[in-house]
Amino acid sequence: MQLFHLTAHEASRLLHRREITSRELTQAVLGRTRETEPRLKAFVTVTQEVALEQASRADEQIASGQPATLTGIPMQIKDNICTSGIRTTCSSRMLENFVPFYNATVMERLNVQGPVLVGKGNMDEFAMGSSTENSAFYPTRNPWDLERVPGGSSGGPAAAVAAGQCLFALGSDTGGSIRQPAALCGIVGLKPTYGLVSRYGLVAFASSLDQIGPLTKDVTDCALVLNSIAGHDPLDSTSIPLKAPDYTKALVPDIKGLRIGVPKEYFGEGIQPEVEAAVKKAILIMEKLGARVEETSLPLTRYALAVYYIIAPSECSANLARYDGVKYGFSYQGASNIWEQMAKTRQLGFGAEVKRRIMLGTYALSAGYYDAYYLKALKVRTLISREFQEAFQRFDALVTPTSPTVPFKLGEKVEDPVQMYMSDICTIPANIAGIPAIAIPCGFHQGLPIGLQIMGKALSEETLLRIAYAYEQATDWHKRRPDL
Ligand code: GLN
């Protein structure tokens, strides 16, 4: 197989055995990027020089006999995660020239192992969207079909991993932004439990929902990357004070006796029949592997999308108030006073979807509507969380589709925000409840990937990885690579 199509753990083994060097691997990945990027547009910034230098250092580290698992492995990072000295734009005009002077905690943690940064991933502006079409620069395309979207908002990272422009990536997930693009690009994506991975240095969208997580080619890589980024961080006050376990220990192909619930609200209306069929087939395989499968019901699921579109815009309207053209980022020059400068900065610096969210949130938080919308949404959020908690007394995990459809065409949903919002109907509940959820490939329809989702109670990442791994070992969807 070509080097750029290797998984991180495969490449790691070759590096440690000195069968390849990180420079060779990095050159292969950069070459692949040069060749495919004009069509794919998965990057905002390619950091070729940094990559080659880090690769040389990784080779020295390997030669000295002290390599870590991710030493010398090329990765891409979503462009809302701060990288010291490297532009971090959130795919927005507002931050087009913003160069952070510090690293996000996840970068500091990864860097301990000495991976290779090949670039920053394209995304929907400020992570608001489900197709990457809201990037202020250009949309990313799906490596399985260039006429279609890769999903979003981590569409760049997902497309880059699937296409072999990197071996793994980090994305962020507020309502599905890791899992939905993972599903649409045929790869693995994990949204960790809220608080498991530090948000320090992640540009905030909706702070009570945002989580950083891995996008990888298989479940083993997912566990490896999670190992390096999970665990307590005093710089994030919502970080759980806990030492994360070694997630690779969960990678055993045995799920005998595990209780899997299949919530009926995630099937049927609104779900493409081929997606439903593939997910149901996968559930049968899990049953054959020894899981005890049972249909169940989570009736409050139907309110999750509405709750999300109150809470996420409310938090975003507060978080994005900082972009005033005074402290940093884009600043409109030529106004006659500070108020006009702020107004113009925000008018020109933000795209249409970001403005829509800010207005929705400002409205929901305004005096007189706060109780009716924001407070009500918080109450329903509590009820949804409770419903999940009850379900997890009976089940170890819940299995559902990840995206209701296979990848859709570019332009198909941009004019209809509600249609676009529906793409996250299966993924949003996990963010509302703060629970972990993993997306893994489970089939294809007319050459387009289909993904399933496994949700579990807070801090049950090991259970999710175990089920995902057992299923993966019994199938070979994860071995397919797009023909670009
Ligand atoms: N698509 C959803 C939104 O637009 C979720 C985005 C995300 O998870 N960042 O808000």
Side-chain angles (χ1 to χ4, degrees):
M1 200 193 292
Q2 286 132 318
L3 290 182
F4 54 77
H5 273 327
L6 293 173
T7 62
H9 63 90
E10 287 164 346
S12 182
R13 195 174 324 116
L14 296 178
L15 286 168
H16 290 201
R17 287 197 199 139
R18 320 268 173 98
E19 288 176 32
I20 58 170
T21 65
S22 175
R23 268 198 87 92
E24 280 162 8
L25 179 61
T26 303
Q27 294 280 16
V29 165
L30 290 171
R32 173 70 166 173
T33 302
R34 265 194 302 280
E35 188 216 327
T36 53
E37 187 55 8
R39 283 167 287 154
L40 214 54
K41 310 300 261 174
F43 284 77
V44 174
T45 308
V46 177
T47 51
Q48 172 156 323
E49 273 169 40
V50 173
L52 291 171
E53 197 202 301
Q54 288 180 334
S56 298
R57 248 187 288 149
D59 284 330
E60 283 164 25
Q61 196 179 333
I62 293 166
S64 76
Q66 301 286 326
T69 317
L70 298 177
T71 306
I73 306 290
M75 63 178 182
Q76 196 219 50
I77 301 295
K78 189 177 183 181
D79 215 18
N80 59 351
I81 296 174
C82 285
T83 41
S84 179
I86 296 164
R87 206 160 70 106
T88 299
T89 69
C90 291
S91 290
S92 179
R93 295 280 169 224
M94 194 61 95
L95 293 176
E96 193 168 3
N97 300 308
F98 173 62
V99 179
F101 52 84
Y102 69 101
N103 271 324
T105 295
V106 290
M107 294 307 298
E108 290 289 325
R109 297 240 166 127
L110 279 167
N111 285 344
V112 170
Q113 297 203 28
V116 170
L117 178 69
V118 291
K120 302 295 299 283
N122 195 24
M123 54 186 280
D124 286 296
E125 184 176 7
F126 283 103
M128 296 168 198
S130 307
S131 68
T132 323
E133 291 165 295
N134 294 340
S135 166
F137 308 135
Y138 34 75
T140 299
R141 289 166 184 268
N142 191 307
W144 295 92
D145 178 347
L146 296 170
E147 298 301 305
R148 292 174 190 267
V149 303
S153 64
S154 314
V161 170
Q165 295 182 328
C166 60
L167 271 59
F168 73 90
L170 289 187
S172 69
D173 190 313
T174 305
S177 277
I178 290 174
R179 292 160 288 156
Q180 185 257 17
L184 268 42
C185 291
I187 62 167
V188 174
L190 171 77
K191 182 202 87 74
T193 302
Y194 184 77
L196 180 65
V197 175
S198 170
R199 291 183 297 108
Y200 181 76
L202 170 68
V203 179
F205 162 12
S207 305
S208 77
L209 301 161
D210 298 338
Q211 267 293 287
I212 295 173
L215 286 146
T216 58
K217 296 177 189 177
D218 69 6
V219 177
T220 303
D221 279 4
C222 182
L224 288 172
V225 177
L226 186 62
N227 268 356
S228 74
I229 60 173
H232 183 242
D233 177 15
L235 297 176
D236 171 0
S237 63
T238 60
S239 164
I240 303 171
L242 150 143
K243 196 176 159 335
D246 176 359
Y247 292 102
T248 60
K249 293 232 170 76
L251 304 177
V252 287
D254 174 21
I255 53 171
K256 266 190 216 78
L258 281 186
R259 300 157 306 165
I260 291 179
V262 183
K264 62 173 196 265
E265 288 77 9
Y266 291 75
F267 296 85
E269 205 197 320
I271 308 294
Q272 191 179 335
E274 291 82 8
V275 170
E276 171 153 351
V279 174
K280 290 250 159 99
K281 226 178 184 171
I283 293 170
L284 276 180
I285 293 177
M286 293 174 187
E287 199 164 15
K288 278 205 193 111
L289 292 170
R292 286 176 9 221
V293 176
E294 201 186 306
E295 192 186 78
T296 186
S297 172
L298 296 168
L300 295 177
T301 296
R302 51 190 284 246
Y303 300 111
L305 195 68
V307 164
Y308 176 87
Y309 276 100
I310 299 292
I311 293 177
S314 295
E315 294 183 12
C316 117
S317 75
N319 274 326
L320 273 61
R322 72 192 65 169
Y323 304 106
D324 54 11
V326 176
K327 295 183 280 292
Y328 62 97
F330 171 71
S331 180
Y332 176 77
Q333 300 300 316
S336 49
N337 61 58
I338 183 92
W339 303 113
E340 190 193 339
Q341 187 195 338
M342 281 186 202
K344 278 274 186 208
T345 293
R346 290 168 71 78
Q347 185 190 329
L348 300 171
F350 291 137
E353 183 62 25
V354 174
K355 288 182 206 163
R356 182 181 297 129
R357 304 282 178 110
I358 292 172
M359 285 190 277
L360 282 170
T362 309
Y363 182 78
L365 291 176
S366 58
Y369 293 107
Y370 182 93
D371 288 2
Y373 293 108
Y374 184 66
L375 211 56
K376 185 70 141 287
L378 288 184
K379 288 176 182 168
V380 181
R381 181 179 196 174
T382 302
L383 295 177
I384 292 172
S385 299
R386 238 181 250 162
E387 186 172 84
F388 273 113
Q389 277 163 18
E390 278 160 24
F392 291 126
Q393 286 176 354
R394 282 174 292 129
F395 299 108
D396 297 298
L398 300 168
V399 177
T400 72
T402 305
S403 158
T405 65
V406 296
F408 44 92
K409 291 230 163 84
L410 271 101
E412 198 178 313
K413 300 190 182 182
V414 269
E415 301 304 332
D416 185 346
V418 175
Q419 266 295 313
M420 191 69 92
Y421 297 172
M422 296 294 277
S423 312
D424 298 303
I425 191 110
C426 300
T427 49
I428 276 176
N431 301 78
I432 296 294
I435 58 176
I438 190 170
I440 56 171
C442 71
F444 283 83
H445 172 57
Q446 296 176 339
L448 300 170
I450 300 173
L452 69 76
Q453 171 177 245
I454 314 171
M455 294 183 273
K457 66 172 185 228
L459 297 175
S460 70
E461 277 79 2
E462 288 162 288
T463 308
L464 304 190
L465 287 164
R466 183 169 150 204
I467 298 170
Y469 183 74
Y471 173 76
E472 185 185 80
Q473 294 307 300
T475 55
D476 56 11
W477 308 117
H478 63 291
K479 294 192 180 132
R480 298 211 193 172
R481 300 286 183 263
D483 192 13
L484 255 172

